Amino acid sequence: MSDSTRQIVTIDGPAGVGKSTVSRGLAHILGFTYLDTGAMYRAIAYGCHSRGCDVSNGDEVAQLLPAFSISLRAPDKPDDDVRVYLNNKEISAFIRTPEMGSLASQVSAHGPVRSLLTSLQQEIGCKGKIVAEGRDTGTVVFPYAAWKFYLDATPENRAQRRVKQLRENGEEADEQNILSMIKQRDTDDKERSLAPLKPAQDAVYIDSTTITAAQVITLMLSYISL
Ligand code: DC
């Protein structure tokens, strides 16, 4: 494997820890492509849910998978979320809710979903120069990545940030409700049998509870040499 193929940064960690902000910022500085793997799980969850499928039922979900084609496009403004398309229809506005996050966590436990999306992600990253964020990008998707990080923060801190973000977007947010969803998602993502959320053995662990996204990016850059 060439050095350029290994030019991949992986950033894994639990829900609401600030992975997207940090990954987008880092990708911009490095001139790499930002790969939001969670958006792909959210797209599958949206596709299944909108067709009335029970997302906890692996057989039902697997039957629908051949009908889905997912694509990601860069946003118009660099600070915005990646644009997500399901069967050529833009679904970006529907997939960023806490509820869709929980549904995405449920579909992500099914083997056929993980195989499909892991292959897609590996195809996107095969030439390197990628910042990939998710739950298993350092452990499963790009185990050969040159730079791996695991970003963490307390559930309470993550809930507060998510509430602030939602309110800034003019949406209502109940902190206790968000906190319990975050804790449930932590349990589901960490305890599933396939590609559970955990730091890769060779990942740098960063606790972002008391530091800003800009400080996290600076710290990450200190480990990266191009
Ligand atoms: O990062 P996110 O909140 O958009 O992810 C939504 C869910 O998708 C997450 O709770 C678990 C799943 N996911 C995953 O299993 N593996 C990934 N690499 C990314 C997300």
Side-chain angles (χ1 to χ4, degrees), residues 23 37 137 150 207:
S23 303
T37 64
T137 62
Y150 187 90
D207 186 336

Side-chain angles (χ1 to χ4, degrees), residues 12 15-16 19 36-39 41-42 96 100-101 104-105 108 114 121 133-137 141 162 185 189 192 195:
D12 291 310
K19 296 187 297 295
D36 178 358
T37 64
Y41 287 93
R42 286 172 184 262
R96 302 286 177 190
M100 207 49 76
S105 181
S108 75
R114 298 215 74 83
Q121 291 153 16
E133 69 140 300
R135 302 292 185 288
D136 63 341
T137 62
V141 187
R162 198 31 70 86
R185 204 125 76 84
D189 291 347
R192 68 178 178 226

Side-chain angles (χ1 to χ4, degrees), residues 30-41:
L30 296 172
F32 284 14
T33 301
Y34 162 48
L35 174 59
D36 178 358
T37 64
M40 296 170 139
Y41 287 93

Side-chain angles (χ1 to χ4, degrees), residues 56-96:
S56 67
N57 184 320
D59 292 334
E60 269 188 48
V61 171
Q63 276 187 0
L64 281 177
L65 290 183
F68 296 148
S69 103
I70 297 170
S71 53
L72 305 180
R73 290 185 207 159
D76 297 332
K77 290 189 245 150
D79 287 347
D80 285 352
D81 284 320
V82 76
R83 295 170 67 172
V84 183
Y85 293 75
L86 183 68
N87 300 341
N88 295 319
K89 179 176 164 262
E90 181 159 17
I91 56 167
S92 316
F94 312 118
I95 62 165
R96 302 286 177 190

Side-chain angles (χ1 to χ4, degrees):
M1 179 164 295
S2 73
D3 275 358
S4 60
T5 317
R6 290 186 60 240
Q7 284 202 335
I8 294 177
V9 179
T10 62
I11 303 181
D12 291 310
V17 76
K19 296 187 297 295
S20 303
T21 309
V22 165
S23 303
R24 265 198 307 258
L26 196 61
H28 181 72
I29 293 168
L30 296 172
F32 284 14
T33 301
Y34 162 48
L35 174 59
D36 178 358
T37 64
M40 296 170 139
Y41 287 93
R42 286 172 184 262
I44 299 273
Y46 174 82
C48 292
H49 186 63
S50 59
R51 285 162 180 75
C53 162
D54 170 8
V55 295
S56 67
N57 184 320
D59 292 334
E60 269 188 48
V61 171
Q63 276 187 0
L64 281 177
L65 290 183
F68 296 148
S69 103
I70 297 170
S71 53
L72 305 180
R73 290 185 207 159
D76 297 332
K77 290 189 245 150
D79 287 347
D80 285 352
D81 284 320
V82 76
R83 295 170 67 172
V84 183
Y85 293 75
L86 183 68
N87 300 341
N88 295 319
K89 179 176 164 262
E90 181 159 17
I91 56 167
S92 316
F94 312 118
I95 62 165
R96 302 286 177 190
T97 62
E99 291 73 22
M100 207 49 76
S102 299
L103 294 174
S105 181
Q106 291 180 57
V107 290
S108 75
H110 306 312
V113 175
R114 298 215 74 83
S115 321
L116 175 74
L117 295 187
T118 299
S119 307
L120 252 172
Q121 291 153 16
Q122 288 172 337
E123 215 174 282
I124 294 169
C126 69
K127 293 201 176 82
K129 293 197 182 300
I130 287 273
V131 176
E133 69 140 300
R135 302 292 185 288
D136 63 341
T137 62
T139 50
V140 175
V141 187
F142 301 115
Y144 52 84
W147 307 287
K148 299 183 186 179
F149 299 96
Y150 187 90
L151 198 54
D152 211 353
T154 62
E156 290 74 16
N157 178 269
R158 289 183 277 134
Q160 280 163 10
R161 288 188 210 182
R162 198 31 70 86
V163 166
K164 190 166 170 267
Q165 212 175 34
L166 288 166
R167 290 189 183 149
E168 277 169 3
N169 292 340
E171 292 168 49
E172 283 184 24
D174 177 275
E175 192 165 332
Q176 279 315 309
N177 189 24
I178 303 267
L179 179 60
S180 70
M181 280 174 117
I182 278 184
K183 285 183 172 168
Q184 183 62 50
R185 204 125 76 84
D186 282 2
T187 307
D188 293 345
D189 291 347
K190 287 178 180 173
E191 294 186 358
R192 68 178 178 226
S193 55
L194 298 169
L197 169 64
K198 62 176 178 186
Q201 270 184 351
D202 48 352
V204 175
Y205 180 93
I206 299 176
D207 186 336
S208 72
T209 305
T210 57
I211 57 175
T212 64
Q215 288 171 316
V216 172
I217 292 174
T218 304
L219 185 57
M220 288 179 171
L221 283 170
S222 72
Y223 287 94
I224 298 173
S225 53
L226 293 181

